[in-house]
């Protein structure tokens, strides 16, 4: 099921003035749309915040990851990541294991329940992503991702 969220008709008649060239404004509008779609498809049905979803997807793709790498990938501070990981660990979705190469550090890995939820979340996100991607050609999708990665650092 593809869900479309449209701007209100009266919004189209409003001149954006200087906002038309403000990158942050357009990012915020796109973010608002994706937040609504995320909550409808993944967040509410699976009780997952966006950051939790991102952690699950990273761990699903990478199996065992040092917390420092997760923090860098998510652009969050170490204390914020610790709170996020603690929340997911309390739900039984991940565990911290000693790094086999260096016992002083840890890796974060999904539990079986975490793997199931991550797979369910990825499946739930697919129609949401399809609805967003249909607005862009494959070349535009690739360009958008490249530009957002560039802006993100």
């Amino acid at each position: 099921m593809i869900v479309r969220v449209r701007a209100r008709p009266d919004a189209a008649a409003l001149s954006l003035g200087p906002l038309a060239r403000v990158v942050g404004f357009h990012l915020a509008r796109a973010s608002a749309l994706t937040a609504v779609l995320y909550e409808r498809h993944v967040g509410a049905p699976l009780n997952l915040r966006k950051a939790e979803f991102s952690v699950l997807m990273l761990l699903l793709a990478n199996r065992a990851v040092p917390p420092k790498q997760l923090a860098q990938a998510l652009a969050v501070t170490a204390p914020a990541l610790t709170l996020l990981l603690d929340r997911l660990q309390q739900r039984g979705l991940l565990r911290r294991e000693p790094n086999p190469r260096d016992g002083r550090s840890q890796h974060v890995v999904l539990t079986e329940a975490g793997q199931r939820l991550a797979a369910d979340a990825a499946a739930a996100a697919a129609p949401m992503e399809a609805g967003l991607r249909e607005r862009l050609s494959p070349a535009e999708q690739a360009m958008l991702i490249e530009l957002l990665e560039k802006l993100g650092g």
Side-chain angles (χ1 to χ4, degrees), residues 10-133:
D10 59 338
L14 184 65
S15 170
L16 295 179
L19 283 177
R21 298 181 94 43
V22 176
V23 172
F25 172 75
H26 294 285
L27 286 172
R29 285 185 65 196
S31 180
L33 168 65
T34 59
V36 167
L37 293 175
Y38 173 83
E39 193 58 30
R40 184 178 302 151
H41 287 271
V42 181
L46 298 176
N47 189 29
L48 278 178
R49 298 174 184 175
K50 290 182 279 186
E52 294 168 341
F53 171 82
S54 297
V55 168
L56 294 179
M57 294 302 102
L58 288 169
L59 292 174
L60 187 63
N62 295 285
R63 298 183 48 97
V65 181
K68 185 175 182 176
Q69 277 188 299
L70 284 174
Q72 290 170 341
L74 298 169
V76 297
T77 64
L81 179 70
T82 298
L83 293 173
L84 177 58
L85 296 179
D86 286 348
R87 206 168 41 239
L88 291 170
Q89 189 167 7
Q90 288 169 357
R91 289 178 61 184
L93 301 174
L94 61 80
R95 65 180 179 275
R96 295 165 169 111
E97 296 180 342
N99 180 342
R101 294 184 186 154
D102 177 4
R104 296 171 294 168
S105 64
Q106 294 180 329
H107 281 160
V108 180
V109 298
L110 290 174
T111 62
E112 286 184 33
Q115 289 174 5
R116 284 191 302 274
L117 183 57
D120 291 347
M128 171 188 72
E129 285 295 311
L132 292 169
R133 280 193 307 270

Side-chain angles (χ1 to χ4, degrees), residues 118-143:
D120 291 347
M128 171 188 72
E129 285 295 311
L132 292 169
R133 280 193 307 270
E134 79 175 5
R135 297 167 178 230
L136 303 170
S137 71
E140 288 171 329
Q141 292 170 39
M143 183 185 302

